[in-house]
Amino acid sequence: MTEHTTELPPQGPPPDRVGAAELERFIAGALAATGLPEADAGTVASLMVEADLTGADAHGVFRLPQYVERIRAGGINPNPSIDVRRTGSGTAVVDGDNGMGHLVMSRAAEMAVSMAREAGIAWVAARRSNHAGSAGLYAAMAVPHGMIGIYSAVASANHMAVWGGREMLLGTNPLAVAIPCGDEPPIVLDMATTAVSYGTIKNYVLQGRRFPEGWMVDRTDGTPITDPARAGDGMLLPIGGYKGSGLALILGLLAGPLSGAAFGRDVVDFNADPVSETNTGHFILALDIARFIPPVVFYGEVNRHLADLRASERLAGCSSIRLPGDRRASRRAERLAQGIPIPAPLLSRLNDLAASLSIPPLAVRSGA
C-alpha cells in the first residue's frame, strides 16, 4: 500500500452512513457533555470527522467512546492550559497539560507554520499530550501555506517488539508527510511503522473480522495470529522487517525523549489504563518551499513527475498505479457526497454512548 488507510473491505450489507455535519455535531455534543469547552469540543470533532472523511476509519468517530472514557476517568484533562514556548528562531516546545491530543497538535501545527514563515523551517515538539487521531491531519496543515509538513508521534501503547525481541517496547509510531502540489491534491503519506495500525486491529475485533497473515504474531512463539479473539495474545509486525523496527525506534526517540515525553517502558497503554496521564510526545516540522525554489516551479515539477509515475508501465494484474494521497482525495469527495459509513457494531456503541451522556443519538441513513 502506498498510503495508510484503515478502511475495512466490504462485508455483508452496506453499512449505514452519516453526513459529515451530523457526525461533527454528534462528536462535539458528546465531548461537551463530558466536560470539554464548546469551542474545544468543536475543534476536536472537526478533526475527527476529517479523519473519517479521508478514510482513517480507526482514528475518527471510532475512537470517541475511548476518549469519553478517559476524560470521565480523569486520564485526560478536559480544560487544559496549553503552553507554547518558543525556544529559538525555528524551534518551540508545547506542553499540552494532558489535554486532548487534537488540541495540542493543532496548536503545535499553527506554531510551526508561523515560525516557518519567519525562519523558513520550524520544528515543534509536544509533550504531555494524548492520542491525536490520524497523523496525516497535522502534516497536511502546512499544505495551504505553501509548506511541506512532517509529523510523527510516540504511539499511545506499545504493540511491537524491537527486531528479534518479543517484549513490546515499541509503538506503531506513525510517520506522515504532506507535500503541496498547487491546484492538484497534495501528496500525503500517512503510515504506521507496523504492518497495520492498532486502531485497525481494534476495528477488526469490534466487527469480528479475521486478520490477514502478516499483521500480528503470537508473543510467545511467533506464530501468525488471524483470530480477532486472540488479539490480546499478539504483537504487531513492523513494515519491512528490521527496517520498520528501526524506523519506529528513531521516530519514537525524536518524538519521545527529545520532546520530554514517554517512550519505551514509560509508555502508558491507554487501551488498558483510562486513568493515568500518558505524556504522549509528538513533533511536527514545517518547511517553506519558497525558501528553496519558487512554489509554482516546484508544483509544476512535482506534478510532472507524478504524471510520469502514474502513466508508467504496470506489472501484470495491476489495474492502476496509486500514489500517496490519491485515495485520500477521492474518498473524501465520495464521503462528503454520500456520507461516512458507520458499521453496525460501531453504531451500537455510539448509541449506547449517547444514552449514557443523555444526548441525541447519531442520525444515520441506510447504506442500502
Side-chain angles (χ1 to χ4, degrees):
M1 294 177 64
T2 54
E3 63 177 303
H4 171 61
T5 175
T6 52
E7 183 180 19
L8 302 187
Q11 176 173 293
D16 291 329
R17 290 189 175 241
V18 60
E22 164 62 17
L23 187 59
E24 188 170 330
R25 179 204 63 77
F26 178 81
I27 295 172
L31 293 173
T34 312
L36 264 69
E38 185 175 335
D40 287 352
T43 296
V44 176
S46 177
L47 289 166
M48 290 174 67
V49 169
E50 185 64 19
D52 279 318
L53 283 171
T54 52
D57 292 345
H59 294 290
V61 71
F62 176 82
R63 295 283 182 171
L64 183 61
Q66 183 179 28
Y67 293 155
V68 168
E69 179 188 16
R70 285 191 56 77
I71 295 168
R72 283 175 148 180
I76 294 176
N77 179 3
N79 290 281
S81 178
I82 298 173
D83 179 63
V84 181
R85 180 169 57 90
R86 189 162 182 172
T87 58
S89 60
T91 57
V93 176
V94 177
D95 185 316
D97 193 26
N98 196 31
M100 289 288 291
H102 305 70
L103 300 175
V104 178
M105 287 316 299
S106 294
R107 291 284 296 277
E110 290 171 3
M111 188 63 181
V113 167
S114 176
M115 290 193 302
R117 284 197 188 100
E118 300 175 18
I121 186 171
W123 181 297
V124 179
R127 56 173 169 251
R128 297 191 65 211
S129 181
N130 281 283
H131 188 273
S134 174
L137 293 172
Y138 305 103
M141 287 181 177
V143 167
H145 305 280
M147 298 182 188
I148 294 168
I150 302 176
Y151 166 89
S152 188
V154 178
S156 298
N158 288 332
H159 293 295
M160 178 170 64
V162 70
W163 189 249
R166 70 175 192 177
E167 188 174 1
M168 296 190 296
L169 294 175
L170 293 175
T172 59
N173 304 348
L175 173 65
V177 181
I179 301 176
C181 298
D183 293 334
E184 298 298 320
I187 288 287
V188 181
L189 175 72
D190 181 352
M191 54 174 258
T193 46
T194 45
V196 68
S197 74
Y198 197 73
T200 300
I201 295 293
K202 293 177 70 173
N203 210 344
Y204 267 67
V205 170
L206 178 65
Q207 299 190 48
R209 308 286 294 273
R210 295 188 71 83
F211 313 139
E213 278 198 26
W215 282 11
M216 178 173 276
V217 296
D218 189 287
R219 293 198 302 272
T220 302
D221 57 19
T223 56
I225 289 179
T226 59
D227 182 354
R230 294 194 58 219
D233 300 328
M235 64 181 182
L236 292 174
L237 291 172
I239 56 171
Y242 67 89
K243 296 180 181 180
S245 174
L247 183 58
L249 169 62
I250 296 303
L251 293 173
L253 291 175
L254 293 176
L258 186 62
S259 300
F263 177 73
R265 295 191 192 280
D266 298 337
V267 170
V268 173
D269 184 347
F270 83 145
N271 300 293
D273 180 352
V275 176
S276 300
E277 180 175 334
T278 62
N279 189 18
T280 299
H282 321 249
F283 71 80
I284 187 162
L285 177 72
L287 182 67
D288 187 357
I289 293 167
R291 298 301 182 103
F292 300 87
I293 188 171
V296 66
V297 175
F298 177 76
Y299 302 150
E301 281 296 282
V302 169
N303 288 325
R304 180 172 68 87
H305 292 302
L306 295 182
D308 285 345
L309 292 171
R310 291 189 178 101
S312 61
E313 295 183 12
R314 301 190 297 270
L315 286 170
C318 182
S319 61
S320 65
I321 290 175
R322 178 163 57 93
L323 302 179
D326 285 354
R327 285 187 60 185
R328 176 187 181 93
S330 61
R331 189 183 296 113
R332 190 178 192 280
E334 184 269 334
R335 291 185 174 188
L336 275 174
Q338 303 297 325
I340 295 164
I342 306 291
L346 176 58
L347 180 59
S348 178
R349 288 185 64 191
L350 295 175
N351 285 337
D352 289 344
L353 178 67
S356 73
L357 295 173
S358 300
I359 63 173
L362 188 61
V364 297
R365 53 180 183 263
S366 173

